[in-house]
Amino acid sequence: MKAESLGKAVSGSISNFALYSEAQSADDPEFIHIEDIPSRARLFDWTINIHTHPRMYQLVYVRTGQVRIHIDGEERKEPAPCIITIPPSVVHGFEFGRETTNGAVITVSQLVIMDEQFQRDFPFVEEMLRTPQIVPLGQHPGDTEFIGQLITQMEEEYHERRTGKKQMFEWLLYSLMLKVGRRIQASRRARDEGHYERLYRLLTQLVEHHYREHKPATFYSEELHTTTTSLNRACTAVAGKCLTELLHDRLTLEAQRMLIYSSVPVSLIAYDLGFNDPAYFSRFFKRRTGMAPITFREMRDRDE
């Protein structure tokens, strides 16, 4: 079955495999399997039809070549190097680049990753164990080299009889999963930062038009079709302050400008900035600057 027909097969029966078409192994919590991609893919004309592993977790490392990935009804083509994480029971299939793709498939019993201590100690449970991930590595040569070395060592440990093999293999697996989790986290942060920068820019433009109106935070979130939580996160990520601080800073800045560059009475400045009570404006200004408006203006006059 080729990539274009992978999606059509979803409507039919989905096979439940332990290791592709192999019979289900005993539920040994220490069961871990690793094999290179070509040795398996060649048997199926480089196309692995959609299937699930109900009690198995997989990491598919594509070292060279390319792969078309089918995960839960969606398809995506990804060049090497990349790594794909497949939690238990996720419907997936692959079409690997014929004779050009190399890499490894690591399969772990669900009992290993669902172990209570593992779930408690592993810092990327949500990112890696509950959601499938496609992790490009091409722009991160340091990570690519480190992950490649870990998997090479895992392959050596798997095929050799060595003292402490079980402990070494588990350590290598945990190190690999930590490294992949960090890469997923870093990519997500980069996406969030780009999103927050755009959101912050739109927010400051909106604030510039409405700060005198003392609009609530919900006004800005509704205008920007987002949530106040997202706005606060954007403000914190970009400016190191919350939305309320941003609004108060803008009012304070304008008040300082008017006190310095005009002779308008403080009461009129208060009304111009949307305050109904000049006394409240004075208290607001003092909280923000440490001095009353009239004192701030007098200091300006003395400096001149």
Side-chain angles (χ1 to χ4, degrees), residues 19-38:
L19 293 172
Y20 297 122
S21 60
E22 292 178 357
Q24 180 74 40
S25 299
D27 283 334
D28 182 355
E30 298 179 355
F31 177 74
I32 299 173
H33 181 273
I34 184 170
E35 67 178 348
D36 65 280
I37 289 174

Side-chain angles (χ1 to χ4, degrees), residues 61-76:
Y61 174 58
V62 183
R63 181 181 283 112
T64 61
Q66 63 182 18
V67 59
R68 186 181 297 275
I69 309 149
H70 177 94
I71 297 181
D72 281 342
E74 297 184 4
E75 287 190 19
R76 172 172 159 182

Side-chain angles (χ1 to χ4, degrees), residues 195 199 206 218-227 230-231:
H195 168 70
L199 186 57
L206 195 60
T218 51
F219 165 80
Y220 293 98
S221 63
E222 290 170 1
E223 286 292 309
L224 295 173
H225 307 289
T226 185
T227 64
S230 291
L231 289 182

